[in-house]
Amino acid sequence: MVPIHMQRAGFDPAPELAELRAGKGIKRIRTAFGMEAWVVTRFADVREVLSDPVRFSNARLQEAGRAPGLPPVSPEERARQLAGNLLAADPPEHTRLRRMLTPEFTVRRMRRLEPRIREIVDEHLDAMERHGPPADLVAEFALPVPSLVICELLGVPYADRAEFQARSNRQLDLSHAVEDRMRAARESRAYMAKLVAGAQADPGEDMLGMLVREHGDDLTPDELVGIASLLLLAGHETTANMLGLGTLALLRHPDQLAMVRDEPERVDAAVEELLRWLSIVHAGTGKMATVDTEIAGQRIAAGDLVMCALPTANRDPELRTHPDALDVTRGGAGHVAFGHGIHHCLGAPLARMEMKIGFPALLRRFPGLAEVPGTAEFRSFSIIYGLTSLEVTW
Amino acid sequence: MKGDLVAGVHADRDVCIGAGMCVLTAGAVFDQDDDGIVVVLDEHPADVAAAREAVANCPSGALSLTEE
Ligand code: SF4
């Protein structure tokens, strides 16, 4: 059973969650790990939780005792698992780590990457064309493009991707046994530790090389492994699912698709609207209340777990009129698809760039793109929503 | 000043997390330095609406706008 805050109805949040938003706004639920948590559904309440790292801690969540059913892990291994993971850190630790990475993700820096991203997109469209219809859009386009981009950026050999893609899938898919997911996490760390050791011996021009060269003294090897693992995982799963699910959304809204394809000046807004409408990250990381407090009129006790339902927040009538309509002409940045507050997605400028290039290029290359009916498969158990496959023809 | 709005834009560089939303929303008003941290290019922007939107969208709450 998928926990309620991760339930979806196709592109939409689960009806039960939307009802909750219209009513009380907050509810006690059980997470995938069997812990009790509050789920917060309204835009304003979600922003309030996400923007206050003092009242709502990410790091404290990790000390909150183990979820029932998880095999024990030694404190040393636990500390190693958490080192360098920005999502598991509060200020000032979070600030220290994030500041080392921000230079690599500025808007200007992303513009410099633009030609290379275009090349990667074109190469994959060429391959799809050679392959001929039908093709699996996820396997041929949505997944490999961001994968190659983040591999190059970080300095991870692209040849290893099949291996770590399988691992990251096992880590994020909640339908896999806990032991299996933990084993995958360990294997990922071991793989990344090897790469980090290589970068330390001979730092290249990529991001791992930069981190070693400029921050080698401030970062432990465990922290380097943690940072790189998080970036690799996040760079893979998120944009890939936006490209896959976003294409399906456009195919099912042909008038919107035509605008994205034929009116380049609309692409920025279209990407924002797709981000808002799809909200592929259901809840981000949970937070732990550090003090007794109140959200949506509900008393929250110190130590309580709080999850923010990003899909319902982004479909809140307070944020947009007719929030459930996909209208690419009106997109704006004021949504929480990338989260909000200090943990706002570090890779957002990169993700935006990949989508702004990817969607129009795909739609222009294959103006007759159509889904093969009945092949779209939603991945409902994953922490990041999307499609496992989508057969297309042209 | 007799009804016309003069907006003053401020950025707290210690709070900024370098998300770059401000540059996306109001590129004439904000930039990021080499470290990714916000720089105010125009403290009294003509396009107050864009500046206001950037302030509202800043994830870290680093930006503020005073209107006199
Ligand atoms: S939007 Fe806010 S956090 Fe992001 S760069 Fe601008 S000031 Fe900094």
Side-chain angles (χ1 to χ4, degrees), chain B residues 11 15-23 32 36-38 54 57-63:
Chain B
V15 174
C16 171
I17 53 162
M21 295 276 288
C22 51
V23 185
Q32 287 168 282
I37 303 305
V38 60
N57 286 342
C58 168
S60 70
L63 305 178

Side-chain angles (χ1 to χ4, degrees), chain A residues 47 98-99 102 107-108 341, chain B residues 13 16-17 31-32 35 56 59:
Chain A
R47 288 244 312 192
R98 182 146 182 160
R99 289 255 155 157
T102 45
V107 173
R108 213 176 318 143
Chain B
R13 289 172 43 91
C16 171
I17 53 162
D31 198 358
Q32 287 168 282
D35 290 329

Side-chain angles (χ1 to χ4, degrees), chain A residues 185-243:
Chain A
R186 279 199 192 113
E187 287 166 14
S188 297
R189 291 193 63 80
Y191 169 79
M192 197 49 88
K194 252 197 336 211
L195 286 186
V196 163
Q200 281 172 319
D202 178 19
E205 287 309 306
D206 44 59
M207 214 182 286
L208 267 182
M210 179 283 293
L211 282 170
V212 168
R213 244 181 286 114
E214 299 194 4
H215 304 287
D217 300 335
D218 328 317
L219 290 170
T220 65
D222 281 338
E223 283 178 328
L224 275 169
V225 169
I227 291 174
S229 304
L230 180 64
L231 293 183
L232 184 62
L233 193 67
H236 256 91
E237 291 289 333
T238 47
T239 309
N241 283 296
M242 270 308 298
L243 286 173

Side-chain angles (χ1 to χ4, degrees), chain B residues 8-34:
Chain B
V9 176
H10 305 276
D12 185 338
R13 289 172 43 91
D14 290 332
V15 174
C16 171
I17 53 162
M21 295 276 288
C22 51
V23 185
L24 274 180
T25 319
V29 184
F30 303 99
D31 198 358
Q32 287 168 282
D33 65 14
D34 287 342

Side-chain angles (χ1 to χ4, degrees), chain A residues 19-64:
Chain A
E19 270 163 40
L20 181 59
R21 182 189 56 211
K24 217 171 152 255
I26 186 166
K27 184 182 169 178
R28 197 89 165 143
I29 57 149
R30 194 172 285 278
T31 69
F33 303 101
M35 294 182 285
E36 299 254 301
W38 296 102
V39 62
V40 178
T41 54
R42 291 189 197 121
F43 181 72
D45 298 331
V46 163
R47 288 244 312 192
E48 186 182 339
V49 172
L50 296 181
S51 57
D52 192 343
V54 177
R55 262 194 309 159
F56 299 99
S57 156
N58 279 33
R60 287 281 298 281
L61 187 65
Q62 316 301 329
E63 334 158 346

Side-chain angles (χ1 to χ4, degrees), chain A residues 103-121:
Chain A
E104 300 296 312
F105 288 96
T106 60
V107 173
R108 213 176 318 143
R109 185 75 212 262
M110 291 305 123
R111 286 197 189 118
R112 278 217 301 276
L113 268 178
E114 190 177 337
R116 181 60 190 130
I117 297 177
R118 269 186 205 289
E119 240 170 62
I120 291 174
V121 164

Side-chain angles (χ1 to χ4, degrees), chain A residues 300-316:
Chain A
I300 312 261
D304 280 0
L305 190 60
V306 179
M307 309 293 296
C308 291
L310 304 181
T312 50
N314 278 334
R315 299 280 193 99
D316 192 327

